[in-house]
Amino acid sequence: MTLLLAVKGWAIAPWFDRFSRLLPDRRIVGLGEDYDPAEIRYAATWKQPPGSLANLPNLQVIFSLGAGIDHLVRDPHLPDVSVVRIVDADLTARMSEYVVLHCLAHLRGWRYYAEKQRTHVWDDDRDEPAASDVRVGIMGMGVLGGDAARKLAVMGFQVAGWSRTPKAVDGIQSFAGEAELDAFLARTDILVSLLPFTPQTQGFIGRRIFAGLARDGRIGGPVFINAGRGATQNEADLLACLDDGTLAAATLDVFETEPLSDTSPFWDHPRVTLTPHNAATSDPDAVAASVAGQIRGFEAGEPLRNLVDMRAGY
Ligand code: NDP
Ligand code: OXD
């Protein structure tokens, strides 16, 4: 009944602490510790080294401690057991805060006025559209995209979503699949990506997507916000499109390679705002409680929730 914490890139101590308190009757071990592979029943993972979940003969469930599961999909030695991802109100709320914040920042000229303040310029001539003048398009209308869409609509934005399958969300225009992609892009001033990384989305957001965005909007040109996965964006295209005016600005939380290299041109780009993949941090209190609850439910015979379809890859 041991839980293995297979976590890399995050401090592990808070997870040990929460899981030990929530599951006091279990042994909690970390990678590299001395344990018998046969004692591991559950694994809670984030960016585990590939192969580290192989050869655990009694492993039954793998939990991702984040909403994304690409660290699992990319592991060629992943055992064929149930994979559960996090769907958590705290994480969802954090992502929507991020998306609303950055849509508003582009609407209200946040960087523009920061520069005016830095240079002591009282500039009250900027065109100031209302949120209702601006069309936001969200790629990926899952748990996170759906919540962000609803909250943007409350702020007054004209919101549409694009996903594999159509969605019925009050007040949100739905587009689906390749056949409706161009129409979705053509009505979008601010493009937000909350797409997962899959073989289909890898490198998908490039010049073809940026060039399809509306050019008649009120915010001075198309804007791209990516809080999904970095590997879904073609970074050479993204830079070229920012430089030649195809895109007016970008907010990036995720990158092809993380941490972002010290020499990346994104750091100093005048039209890029960047954050270190923290749009929606997994809070150990909320996430460990969710995983522990699932373990107890599973052992009581309840079905696991938020199971990943490993064939679809998300
Ligand atoms: P979901 O699985 O709930 O939603 C994924 C959405 O993407 C679905 O609407 C799905 O369509 C759509 N989609 C998948 N593949 C395609 C495709 N090929 N074409 C069109 N649409 C597609 O995921 P979440 O909303 O919970 O999370 C989304 C992603 O956000 C995560 O995978 C993760 O990568 C990222 N994330 C980033 C964080 C950060 O801090 N930056 C934090 C948490 C998550 P359909 O509904 O039709 O299936
Ligand atoms: C993620 C997360 O999937 O932090 O990026 O949850």
Side-chain angles (χ1 to χ4, degrees):
M1 297 288 193
T2 298
L3 169 68
L4 171 66
L5 289 183
V7 174
K8 286 281 173 221
W10 287 349
I12 197 162
W15 296 98
F16 262 113
D17 174 67
R18 298 326 185 271
F19 279 115
S20 306
R21 275 197 270 141
L22 289 160
L23 298 169
D25 47 343
R26 313 303 163 97
R27 188 164 177 238
I28 317 289
V29 296
L31 286 175
E33 279 183 45
D34 191 17
Y35 56 82
D36 174 0
E39 75 181 276
I40 306 295
R41 189 79 165 270
Y42 307 104
T45 65
W46 183 250
K47 296 191 178 169
Q48 80 294 339
S52 53
L53 304 178
N55 305 318
L56 302 173
N58 296 315
L59 182 66
Q60 281 187 293
V61 188
I62 298 172
F63 295 92
S64 171
L65 294 176
I69 48 104
D70 36 309
H71 59 290
L72 297 169
V73 172
R74 289 177 203 239
D75 185 339
H77 308 292
L78 197 76
D80 184 15
V81 300
S82 299
V83 174
V84 170
R85 73 192 194 95
I86 278 298
V87 173
D88 174 64
D90 174 86
L91 189 144
T92 303
R94 289 167 190 253
M95 180 58 84
S96 292
E97 286 169 11
Y98 186 91
V99 172
V100 172
L101 168 71
H102 288 281
C103 286
L104 287 172
H106 289 289
L107 170 72
R108 300 303 298 260
W110 191 260
R111 288 177 65 108
Y112 179 88
Y113 288 116
E115 179 58 16
K116 297 298 168 194
Q117 178 175 353
R118 197 185 65 77
T119 52
H120 297 201
V121 175
W122 185 269
D123 174 358
D124 54 8
D125 281 342
R126 180 180 178 268
D127 181 32
E128 294 290 351
S132 57
D133 296 320
V134 175
R135 299 160 293 182
V136 179
I138 302 184
M139 298 178 111
M141 281 292 285
V143 173
L144 301 182
D147 190 71
R150 282 185 283 271
K151 288 174 179 166
L152 286 166
V154 168
M155 296 306 302
F157 288 103
Q158 300 172 44
V159 187
W162 179 79
S163 41
R164 271 200 330 168
T165 52
K167 302 281 175 263
V169 184
D170 264 2
I172 312 296
Q173 206 180 348
S174 170
F175 295 84
E178 185 60 36
E180 293 179 1
L181 178 59
D182 288 345
F184 165 78
L185 296 172
R187 55 71 63 207
T188 294
D189 301 313
I190 300 180
L191 178 68
V192 177
S193 179
L194 288 170
L195 284 172
F197 171 83
T198 69
Q200 289 71 39
T201 63
Q202 180 168 21
F204 173 69
I205 309 170
R207 180 171 288 279
R208 186 237 153 163
I209 299 293
F210 302 134
L213 293 168
R215 305 208 62 82
D216 59 352
R218 288 282 306 275
I219 54 167
V223 167
F224 175 52
I225 298 175
N226 194 356
R229 275 294 176 272
T232 62
Q233 69 201 7
N234 177 326
E235 293 189 350
D237 279 9
L238 177 49
L239 279 167
C241 287
L242 283 163
D243 289 339
D244 69 16
T246 304
L247 278 176
T251 295
L252 305 171
D253 184 56
V254 288
F255 298 88
E256 277 173 15
T257 304
E258 297 176 4
L260 187 62
S261 146
D262 194 29
T263 56
S264 166
F266 287 120
W267 287 109
D268 297 312
H269 200 288
R271 286 192 294 284
V272 171
T273 300
L274 68 82
T275 49
H277 194 146
N278 67 353
T281 309
S282 289
D283 173 52
D285 284 319
V287 171
S290 164
V291 171
Q294 288 253 51
I295 289 176
R296 295 214 181 281
F298 177 68
E299 291 179 355
E302 292 166 20
L304 290 164
R305 286 169 284 114
N306 312 318
L307 279 168
V308 174
D309 174 354
M310 291 303 274
R311 274 172 315 160
Y314 67 97

